[in-house]
Amino acid sequence: QVQLVESGGGLVQTGGSLRLSCAASGTIFSVNTMGWYRQAPGKQRDLVASITSSGTTNYADSVKGRFIISRDSAKNAVSVQMNSLKPEDTAVYYCNVINYNPRSAQAYEYWGQGTQVTVSS
């Protein structure tokens, strides 16, 4: 029903910037949360940033002031602009959507395939 495709990962030097984008296909309901998680080797998968359909944003403390999440609800897309990148930002980044079906009052969660971000020292 829903498929997420990420783009924009790559290799960047410390202090550089990358922009990750995620395009969702399928049925995306009007009430939803879109965001990005990341997972480094041997680490938990943690929230990076999220944004609701009403525009409320949440950021991990480690990225506040450096990353900005945005969405284009009409296109069912979410992006995160990552600035002042640090080596500790190196991880696989995953797009995430929580989709709320108003008819069933159920929430469904979807994940992208992941895109590698590597920040060199």
Side-chain angles (χ1 to χ4, degrees), residues 72-87:
D72 185 341
S73 294
K75 297 181 179 179
N76 292 324
V78 62
S79 297
V80 59
Q81 177 68 40
M82 307 188 297
N83 301 316
S84 302
L85 284 162
K86 306 173 181 179

Side-chain angles (χ1 to χ4, degrees), residues 3-100:
Q3 187 166 358
L4 309 177
V5 180
E6 304 109 329
S7 62
L11 175 65
V12 66
Q13 292 182 314
T14 297
S17 297
L18 286 173
R19 183 178 180 88
L20 304 181
S21 296
C22 174
S25 62
T27 302
I28 304 298
F29 297 106
S30 60
V31 178
N32 61 79
T33 299
M34 306 185 77
W36 291 90
Y37 288 70
R38 67 187 180 188
Q39 187 170 23
K43 302 291 186 179
Q44 311 274 170
R45 184 178 296 189
D46 294 323
L47 174 71
V48 176
S50 66
I51 183 167
T52 70
S53 47
S54 63
T56 300
T57 58
N58 286 289
Y59 294 92
D61 287 342
S62 59
V63 308
K64 286 181 179 177
R66 299 189 297 122
F67 292 10
I68 301 172
I69 192 167
S70 61
R71 63 184 290 149
D72 185 341
S73 294
K75 297 181 179 179
N76 292 324
V78 62
S79 297
V80 59
Q81 177 68 40
M82 307 188 297
N83 301 316
S84 302
L85 284 162
K86 306 173 181 179
E88 48 263 49
D89 294 318
T90 296
V92 177
Y93 285 69
Y94 297 90
C95 181
N96 171 263
V97 172
I98 301 174
N99 203 25
Y100 298 92

